[in-house]
Amino acid sequence: MIKAAIEKAINEDMAEIWSLLDGDEKRLVLDNFEVHSFKKNQLIYAEGDEPEFLWCLLKGKVKKYKEGVGGRAQILRLVRPVQYFGYRAFFAEETYVSSAAAFEASVLGTLPMSLVKSMITKNIQLAWFFIKELSHNLGGSDTKIVNLTQKHIRGRLAEALMVLRDNYGYEEDESTLKIYMSREDLANLSNMTTANAIRTLSAFVAERLLVVDGRRIKIINEPQLRRISKFG
């Protein structure tokens, strides 16, 4: 019964990879797939750890981040269901260069990277899947570097809000972001100090672009925020 539940979860949540596998490969995945639950803010893996698993976020939200000067964290990437992460370091034969933690209570699945490597050597479609994933993530990283280094503060915060909107969407009211971030996390995503994030957020509220209630952010004028993100 447990195996049937796991097969259902894999077939639904990891359908893109599942469709690339033959019968024997699917049995290997079923035999080695494990489900893990993480509490809010719980560490998934830390910078310097050895990469052992392919991680797949099934439910919840995950952030990848790196500690910077003075212990300040820079959020590198937000992970949404169903996305894969944690495998680049294994392919590069190095330890993790960043950490990952749950933004909220989350459910993740894992496969041993040794098994993934074995399947990739025999399955060219699976190999191309990971090449595409890595290429997409590299392109996103390049864009993020330019945005964080060349945009002004307003543009960086607007960009961060649009990233949250595009990754996690809205609540049922079609305007409240479906993620509740602390001001510190918002600042870390935008590459600015917490004080600057608070001031810029207040400016957006004064301009009637947003309504803020604690950690809840309601976007009132998405087109204008996108313009600020693009040209800011």
Side-chain angles (χ1 to χ4, degrees):
M1 187 154 180
I2 293 175
K3 190 170 182 178
I6 291 176
E7 183 172 7
K8 183 175 183 292
I10 295 173
N11 201 15
E12 291 178 356
D13 295 324
M14 299 178 66
E16 193 171 4
I17 282 184
W18 193 245
S19 66
L20 303 176
L21 308 180
D22 62 25
D24 290 338
E25 291 167 335
K26 287 179 178 178
R27 281 189 288 274
L28 280 171
V29 169
L30 281 173
D31 289 341
N32 290 275
F33 189 81
E34 294 187 6
V35 177
H36 310 264
S37 295
F38 287 83
K39 298 177 182 178
K40 181 179 179 180
N41 296 325
Q42 185 176 351
L43 188 69
I44 297 168
Y45 59 77
E47 182 175 346
D49 286 353
E50 292 287 341
E52 299 180 71
F53 302 105
L54 168 69
W55 292 89
C56 177
L57 178 60
L58 303 177
K59 292 180 177 63
K61 300 175 179 69
V62 165
K63 64 179 177 181
K64 292 185 64 181
Y65 63 96
K66 187 174 180 64
E67 297 289 341
V69 178
R72 181 174 165 224
Q74 173 68 54
I75 296 178
L76 306 173
R77 179 185 165 202
L78 297 171
V79 183
R80 66 178 183 271
V82 175
Q83 289 184 325
Y84 307 93
F85 65 100
Y87 55 88
R88 187 210 61 81
F90 180 88
F91 290 149
E93 299 183 345
E94 61 186 25
T95 58
Y96 283 122
V97 297
S98 61
S99 303
F103 249 134
E104 60 182 41
S106 300
V107 179
L108 295 97
T110 58
L111 279 175
M113 281 304 303
S114 56
L115 173 62
V116 174
K117 179 182 178 181
S118 175
M119 290 194 298
I120 283 176
T121 60
K122 302 171 185 176
N123 186 330
I124 189 64
Q125 286 184 299
L126 188 61
W128 274 110
F129 171 85
F130 282 105
I131 290 171
K132 180 181 176 182
E133 285 283 300
L134 286 167
S135 300
H136 176 76
N137 292 336
L138 180 59
S141 296
D142 289 347
T143 300
K144 186 177 179 66
I145 289 171
V146 173
N147 290 339
L148 293 183
T149 55
Q150 295 189 6
K151 286 185 178 180
H152 296 297
I153 286 176
R154 285 171 59 86
R156 295 206 300 270
L157 185 61
E159 170 83 8
L161 293 170
M162 291 299 94
V163 166
L164 296 176
R165 184 261 179 273
D166 294 341
N167 271 269
Y168 302 119
Y170 290 133
E171 299 282 6
E172 291 182 1
D173 64 3
E174 294 298 325
S175 59
T176 301
L177 291 174
K178 197 183 275 188
I179 180 171
Y180 307 142
M181 295 185 71
S182 68
R183 300 297 184 267
E184 181 180 5
D185 276 334
L186 197 56
N188 291 341
L189 182 61
S190 310
N191 191 31
M192 63 177 71
T193 64
T194 303
N196 279 337
I198 292 172
R199 278 195 293 270
T200 309
L201 203 61
S202 297
F204 286 168
V205 171
E207 295 167 34
R208 299 186 179 180
L209 303 177
L210 311 170
V211 172
V212 177
D213 180 12
R215 294 190 179 191
R216 293 170 62 89
I217 299 176
K218 180 181 289 189
I219 295 180
I220 304 301
N221 192 337
E222 182 179 323
Q224 180 60 17
L225 272 178
R226 288 198 183 275
R227 280 192 289 272
I228 294 172
S229 170
K230 185 175 181 180
F231 302 110

